[in-house]
Amino acid sequence: MMEWTDRHCRYFLRLISKRALLYTEMVTADAVLRGDRKRLLAFHPAEHPVALQIGGSDPQGLAEAARIGAESGYDEINLNVGCPSDRVQAGRFGACLMAEPELVADLIAAMGASAKVPVTIKCRIGIDDQDGEESLDRFIDAVARGGCRIFILHARKAWLEGLSPKENRDVPPIDYDRVYRMKARRPDLTIIVNGGIGSFGEAADHLTHVDGVMLGRAAYQDPYLLAEVDRHLFDSAEPQPSRLQVLDSFIPYVEAELARGVRLNQMTRHIPGLFHGQPRARAFRRVLAEMAHLDGAGLDVLKAARDVAAGETRRAVAAE
Ligand SMILES: Cc1cc2nc3c(=O)[nH]c(=O)nc-3n(C[C@H](O)[C@H](O)[C@H](O)COP(=O)(O)O)c2cc1C
C-alpha cells in the first residue's frame, strides 16, 4: 500500500509472521527504469518472501522492470491492475487496464519471459459499467493465456469516474461470491481474495472457498492479527511471539537504521496498531505520537513507548 508498506513496515510485519507473503507499495516501471532504483527497490533480507508490485502499460518497460526486480531478489513480481487514481489512469495503468484484457495478457507474457520468478496480477472484479460476469471471465482467461497463474482479486469494482481512490476502497459493493465463482470456474488458477477482510477468522472462512487471502488495511491497523498465520495456515511449530517480543525484536533494527540516518518516525509510524485492543494501547500510541517525530528523537522514545505498553512506566516518565 502506497505510503504505508515501505521497507520499515515490512520488516516490522515480518517479526509478527515469518510466512505471510509481503508486498511492496506499487512502483511504476518508469521509476524502476529511470528513478533512484537503489532506494526504490531496497529491502532487508529478513523480508522474504516479498513481492514487488509494478504499475505500467508498456510491455518492454514492464519486462525490463520485472527483470530488474527479480534480479534484485524479489520472490514475485505483481502487476497492478487495480489502482483507480486519476494519476494512474493518465499514465494508462492500474484498474483502467481491465478494459484491455489482451494488452494485459501481453504485459504478463513479456514480464514472465524476462523475470525468473512468478509474475502475478492484482485486479478488481470489474470497472465502471462492465457486466459482472462475462467481462471478468474474459479478462482472467486472457491473462491466464498470457501465462499468469496467480490472481489477487479485490472483490469490488473500481469506478473510474467520480470516486476518489479512497472511496473506491469502500463504496463499490463488495462481492466475495464473484471471486468464489471464479475459483469454481477456473480451479486450475490460484485465486486470492482481497477487500474488507478484518480478522483472522474471516480470512479462515474465505480460505474454504479460495486459495489465499490478502489483507490490506486490517494488517496495517491491527498487525498482530498476522500472528496467527504461521501456526494456523502454515502449520509452523514455532511459538507465536507476544506483542512485546515483537517490539523488542524491532528495537535493534531501529537502532541500526537510526545509525544510518533514518528518522525514528519513519519507522515507528507503522507500529501504533501493535497493541490494538490491548489495555495500554492508547498510552503506547500517545508516546509515539507526541515524541517520535521530534528532531533528534532516538531509541529512548521507542523504549519509553515499549515500557508504557508493558506497564513499566518509570523509564517513560524519565524520558518525558
Ligand atoms: C493507503 C493505501 C494505499 C494503497 N496502495 C496500493 C498499492 O500501491 N497497490 C495496490 O495494489 N493496492 C493498494 N491499495 C489497495 C489495497 O491493497 C487493498 O486492495 C484495498 O485496501 C482493499 O483491501 P483491504 O480492505 O484489506 O484494505 C492501497 C490501499 C490503501 C489504504
Side-chain angles (χ1 to χ4, degrees):
M1 291 178 285
M2 280 160 114
E3 310 279 324
W4 289 18
T5 50
D6 62 15
R7 65 189 176 90
H8 307 304
C9 176
R10 298 190 305 265
Y11 186 94
F12 168 68
L13 294 175
R14 182 58 73 220
L15 299 172
I16 304 173
S17 166
K18 298 253 175 302
R19 306 295 293 273
L21 175 58
L22 300 174
Y23 284 78
T24 67
E25 320 168 67
M26 182 182 71
V27 184
T28 65
D30 265 2
V32 174
L33 299 181
R34 287 181 260 286
D36 180 355
R37 187 181 300 168
K38 209 161 160 236
R39 186 184 59 78
L40 283 171
L41 298 186
F43 67 93
H44 192 287
E47 286 176 42
H48 287 295
V50 60
L52 172 67
Q53 190 188 62
I54 308 185
S57 58
D58 164 51
Q60 268 185 346
L62 277 170
E64 185 62 2
R67 183 188 63 74
I68 292 167
E71 285 175 3
S72 305
Y74 284 95
D75 300 292
E76 170 183 318
I77 307 295
N78 178 267
L79 178 66
N80 182 323
V81 186
C83 182
S85 92
D86 284 348
R87 197 166 55 82
V88 168
Q89 283 179 64
R92 197 155 152 271
F93 55 83
C96 62
L97 289 178
M98 291 210 66
E100 300 184 67
E102 298 305 331
L103 170 61
V104 178
D106 290 347
L107 301 179
I108 288 285
M111 293 165 77
S114 66
K116 302 274 172 281
V117 296
V119 173
T120 67
I121 201 162
K122 178 158 179 273
C123 62
R124 299 282 184 135
I125 55 173
I127 47 170
D128 299 329
D129 54 4
Q130 277 185 334
D131 72 282
E133 292 298 319
E134 212 197 314
S135 304
L136 184 62
D137 288 350
R138 206 173 334 115
F139 180 80
I140 299 285
D141 289 350
V143 178
R145 279 196 302 277
C148 187
R149 297 326 292 155
I150 303 177
F151 295 78
I152 302 159
L153 284 147
H154 182 176
R156 50 168 68 88
K157 279 184 161 183
W159 293 342
L160 300 180
E161 299 286 329
L163 285 191
S164 69
K166 187 166 186 300
E167 288 167 325
N168 257 310
R169 287 179 211 127
D170 291 311
V171 175
I174 202 96
D175 187 356
Y176 297 127
D177 284 338
R178 181 64 189 97
V179 181
Y180 301 166
R181 283 201 298 284
M182 184 58 73
K183 178 63 197 175
R185 186 179 158 272
R186 293 294 311 253
D188 55 318
L189 302 176
T190 297
I191 302 288
I192 297 167
V193 67
N194 165 246
I197 301 164
S199 69
F200 181 79
E202 285 174 42
D205 288 345
H206 285 292
L207 287 172
T208 63
H209 299 276
V210 290
D211 304 296
V213 172
M214 172 185 265
L215 298 177
R217 290 164 290 188
Y220 191 84
Q221 284 149 5
D222 182 9
Y224 196 70
L225 65 78
L226 294 178
E228 294 193 62
V229 166
D230 295 12
R231 266 199 309 170
H232 294 292
L233 300 184
F234 292 95
D235 292 329
S236 165
E238 276 190 48
Q240 190 172 305
S242 69
R243 290 176 169 85
L244 272 180
Q245 284 168 337
V246 169
L247 193 50
D248 286 339
S249 317
F250 195 45
I251 288 175
Y253 172 84
V254 171
E255 189 170 20
E257 293 292 307
L258 283 168
R260 297 174 58 199
V262 177
R263 286 177 64 94
L264 182 70
N265 194 39
Q266 280 177 267
M267 297 174 275
T268 56
R269 71 191 184 95
H270 303 299
I271 70 169
L274 179 60
F275 292 91
H276 181 87
Q278 299 299 296
R280 287 175 286 273
R282 186 182 299 181
F284 172 72
R285 287 196 306 267
R286 195 168 54 224
V287 174
L288 293 176
E290 288 176 359
M291 300 169 72
H293 65 282
L294 300 175
D295 280 344
L299 213 52
D300 277 1
V301 171
L302 182 56
K303 287 182 174 169
R306 182 239 179 255
D307 289 352
V308 164
E312 301 160 13
T313 49
R314 207 172 334 140
R315 186 157 34 159
V317 171
E320 279 172 352

